[in-house]
Amino acid sequence: MSQKHNRKSIRLKGYDYSSAGLYFITICTQNRLHQFGEIKNGEMILNENGKIVNHVWDDLRNRFENILLHSFVIMPNHIHGIVQIVGVGLCSTQNNGNFVNDGGQGRAVAPTVGDIICAFKSITTKLHNTLNDTPGFKLWQRNYFEHIIRTQKSYEIISNYIQSNPSKWSIDCMNIP
């Protein structure tokens, strides 16, 4: 049996990750390589790779009709964002990553957090590799961190953390040169 099948899931057992709610997401680059720009005077200056990541993140709301995007920051080697899955309508299966209305014939279907992150990582990797002529380059680490936001206070703390992240880069544990 391969190593891949022996890995433990880091997701909350039994939780429906297509449930309406707020999710704090962190995704790191492979080997935490600095890919997206640099911090200068407490501000993130995006390079072309960072601009791709920013565009793809913003475009997720067009790809998945049942999500809202909240606080988001791109750092040199990772991103933080809050994704909200909102009320689910009657939908059919995916159509090029978009969930479409089936006219009331089907069942409630929503993207999972995993679906959203998979699309984001896949699209950004393809665009990164095209821009940099690096076919096969692995931009992101295999997994991602998520936290289910359950209270307004937690939302405010996390949102403030995201927004202040660039100003705290010098003491950030992800700041690996």
Side-chain angles (χ1 to χ4, degrees), residues 26-42:
T26 299
I27 311 172
C28 297
T29 60
Q30 182 71 14
N31 300 317
R32 296 195 180 162
L33 294 176
H34 292 207
Q35 294 287 331
F36 308 130
E38 60 184 324
I39 305 287
K40 286 190 178 178
N41 301 319

Side-chain angles (χ1 to χ4, degrees), residues 154-166:
S154 179
Y155 173 82
E156 290 168 5
I157 290 168
I158 292 167
S159 188
N160 287 336
Y161 171 80
I162 290 170
Q163 293 168 13
S164 67
N165 209 238

Side-chain angles (χ1 to χ4, degrees), residues 45 87 106 129:
I45 309 301
N129 289 348

